Amino acid sequence: MTRNYKRQTTVKLAVYGKGGIGKSTTSCNISVALAKRGKKVLQIGCDPKHDSTFTLTGFLIPTIIDTLQEKDYHYEDVWPEDVIYKGYGGVDCVEAGGPPAGAGCGGYVVGETVKLLKELNAFDEYDVILFDVLGDVVCGGFAAPLNYADYCLIVTDNGFDALFAANRIAASVREKARTHPLRLAGLIGNRTSKRDLIEKYIEAVPMPVLEVLPLIEDIRVSRVKGKTLFEMAESDPSLNYVCDYYLNIADQILARPEGVVPNDAPDRELFSLLSDF
Ligand code: ADP
Ligand code: MG
């Protein structure tokens, strides 16, 4: 008798946060951490900057939009190897690319990317898909990856601006959670050793803090080198302690946490909560 084993479903993550806060760096290292745990991982860069996967591949890979334009939007002429590139640790990498500046929509680009990957039968063959998304959610377009995600992760420091952005993203998660089972897995504190404002924020809007990474010079350098911390640690084992931060986040995700649907904290309330006046 043959038995049909149900394939475990893909866990889809969307990483958000203020511009420059460390989303791509954190995404690449989490992707490798998940791969180190034996998972098949796809990272999709959803930022017109299209540098999400630089640290994994060491170069700026062609974007889906560039490739589609080149092929006159004939999806049937696109091969997986045209758009999916192998990165460090076996992580597969895709860059969605951006809409034309001042025209078009980021949401359309993400939609086209998912459509193409589905046509290539590439969307369902991963254990984890991680969307690395541009900055704060400022419009429905850039909230689009939330439509495909099971979990949102927010990268923030201990400052007002990043927490303000985090609150906007949390509001988008609340909105999207009305129509599909999206949860906020939690905050990742980055480039900070202090967490007093983060603590204040999560008192008002309860959510888990998955990890807090300090400012680490080697993480800054890793971006310039185009290498994850895991790759750097191969020749410098003193960096293994940095990898442990990312492995800890990966393990929490793989445990399929309950996460939260965040509370509502209007902008005005946040101003008085996070400032001294
Ligand atoms: P984003 O994707 O949010 O725009 P990046 O991942 O490109 O941000 O990070 C911006 C810069 O901050 C990069 O040069 C990166 O190396 C650096 N960086 C990120 N996290 C840390 C950290 N914990 N310590 C030091 N530098 C960091
Ligand atoms: Mg980025």
Side-chain angles (χ1 to χ4, degrees):
M1 190 178 87
T2 47
R3 254 187 221 174
N4 283 328
Y5 288 98
K6 190 173 179 292
R7 216 189 142 278
Q8 240 208 334
T9 51
T10 309
V11 183
K12 301 189 184 77
L13 312 172
V15 178
Y16 278 88
K18 175 182 172 286
I21 201 70
K23 295 179 295 295
S24 298
T25 310
T26 308
S27 295
C28 290
N29 284 284
I30 292 175
S31 289
V32 175
L34 289 162
K36 294 268 175 204
R37 294 299 194 228
K39 301 299 169 194
K40 194 165 179 335
V41 184
L42 173 69
Q43 181 168 322
I44 305 178
C46 306
D47 188 326
K49 207 165 40 146
H50 72 92
D51 64 342
S52 167
T53 56
F54 179 78
T55 313
L56 289 167
T57 59
F59 70 105
L60 291 175
I61 66 176
T63 70
I64 292 241
I65 290 299
D66 289 344
T67 307
L68 281 175
Q69 269 171 358
E70 220 173 82
K71 312 249 175 188
D72 250 352
Y73 286 83
H74 289 290
Y75 284 77
E76 65 282 7
D77 292 345
V78 179
W79 296 93
E81 55 270 32
D82 293 330
V83 289
I84 303 173
Y85 290 77
K86 230 358 133 210
Y88 177 78
V91 175
D92 279 351
C93 301
V94 163
E95 288 287 346
C105 170
Y108 168 78
V109 172
V110 172
E112 289 298 291
T113 297
V114 171
K115 187 171 142 199
L116 177 63
L117 291 173
K118 281 187 172 165
E119 287 200 10
L120 295 173
N121 285 325
F123 204 64
D124 297 317
E125 70 167 56
Y126 293 93
D127 297 310
V128 184
I129 296 181
L130 185 154
F131 294 91
D132 172 17
V133 192
L134 164 130
D136 339 356
V137 177
V138 287
C139 70
F142 286 113
L146 293 176
N147 297 333
Y148 307 101
D150 305 299
Y151 293 113
C152 174
L153 296 120
I154 305 178
V155 183
T156 181
D157 59 18
N158 190 48
F160 178 84
D161 293 320
L163 284 166
F164 197 83
N167 192 52
R168 281 287 171 85
I169 297 155
S172 302
V173 172
R174 189 174 56 250
E175 209 41 51
K176 298 277 181 191
R178 289 179 207 279
T179 49
H180 90 269
L182 168 70
R183 290 289 179 275
L184 178 59
L187 296 177
I188 298 171
N190 191 39
R191 254 181 353 216
T192 180
S193 42
K194 286 193 177 171
R195 53 193 289 172
D196 54 310
L197 280 190
I198 293 176
E199 295 294 341
K200 251 188 183 178
Y201 176 64
I202 62 168
E203 241 174 67
V205 186
M207 62 181 70
V209 177
L210 302 178
E211 190 51 277
V212 179
L213 284 95
L215 191 149
I216 297 173
E217 177 59 13
D218 287 297
I219 298 185
R220 192 191 62 75
V221 170
S222 74
R223 194 87 176 104
V224 186
K225 285 195 173 167
K227 287 182 177 176
T228 60
L229 268 295
F230 291 88
E231 191 170 3
M232 285 167 68
E234 278 178 10
S235 54
D236 181 0
S238 75
L239 293 176
N240 278 328
Y241 86 98
V242 189
C243 301
D244 288 344
Y245 287 109
Y246 298 115
L247 286 165
N248 177 30
I249 299 168
D251 288 341
Q252 291 181 67
I253 297 296
L254 292 176
R256 304 264 187 145
E258 210 175 301
V260 293
V261 175
N263 287 350
D264 188 16
D267 287 354
R268 269 177 197 286
E269 272 178 30
L270 210 64
F271 266 100
S272 47
L273 179 76
L274 299 177
S275 43
D276 290 333
F277 47 88

